[in-house]
Amino acid sequence: MSVNVLYKTTAKATGGRDGNAATLDGALDVKLTTPKELGGAGGAGNNPEQLFAAGYAACFIGAMKFVASQGGPKVPADASVTSTVGIGPRSEGGFGLDIDLAVSLPGVPRAEAEALVAKAHQVCPYSNATRGNVDVRLKVV
């Protein structure tokens, strides 16, 4: 599969989960800290799962807006996606992710909202990247 790349960004991490991550253009610069649940100290800072959850939630709204522009129902201004990303050991070895997306589309009839979410899941780059590798559960709330 090929991708016609329209935008690229580059980020650099140092120190792993207890270091720093920043985009090379300086637009994002975050202190990283490992959660206590993964054996870290916790505390001030973010972790890769938080960054992934925020990115997936924002991107999924973008995917819904794209679907709407192709003839789907209008995405209300107060639409939201709550992305919950879990991490833990896989039965096959290594670590894996587990994701829940709770989508709120106020004023959109449930059947239309569910159809919009299903179509967005087919076009969202995060959904395409995780499909077949990560359990992603979608729920209209």
Side-chain angles (χ1 to χ4, degrees):
M1 172 188 69
S2 66
V3 176
N4 178 21
V5 176
L6 301 176
Y7 169 77
K8 283 187 181 184
T9 188
T10 304
K12 181 178 181 180
T14 56
R17 286 180 167 271
D18 290 305
N20 188 76
T23 55
L24 296 188
D25 65 6
L28 175 74
D29 191 339
V30 293
K31 177 184 182 317
L32 301 172
T33 186
T34 303
K36 289 181 181 181
E37 296 85 348
L38 295 178
N46 296 102
N47 61 62
E49 293 71 38
Q50 291 170 322
L51 300 172
F52 189 90
Y56 201 162
C59 192
F60 202 84
I61 291 173
M64 289 190 300
K65 289 179 177 181
F66 173 79
V67 169
S69 77
Q70 305 295 303
K74 185 176 184 313
V75 175
D78 57 349
S80 66
V81 174
T82 302
S83 174
T84 303
V85 174
I87 184 173
R90 297 173 356 124
S91 57
E92 300 86 357
F95 288 83
L97 299 176
D98 181 81
I99 301 169
D100 288 289
L101 298 181
V103 182
S104 174
L105 294 162
V108 178
R110 184 165 201 82
E112 290 181 34
E114 289 173 347
L116 176 67
V117 167
K119 288 178 184 173
H121 191 47
Q122 296 306 306
V123 301
C124 176
Y126 278 68
S127 294
N128 287 331
T130 58
R131 188 170 290 110
N133 302 309
V134 178
D135 286 334
V136 177
R137 289 169 299 281
L138 306 169
K139 183 178 179 183
V140 174
V141 295

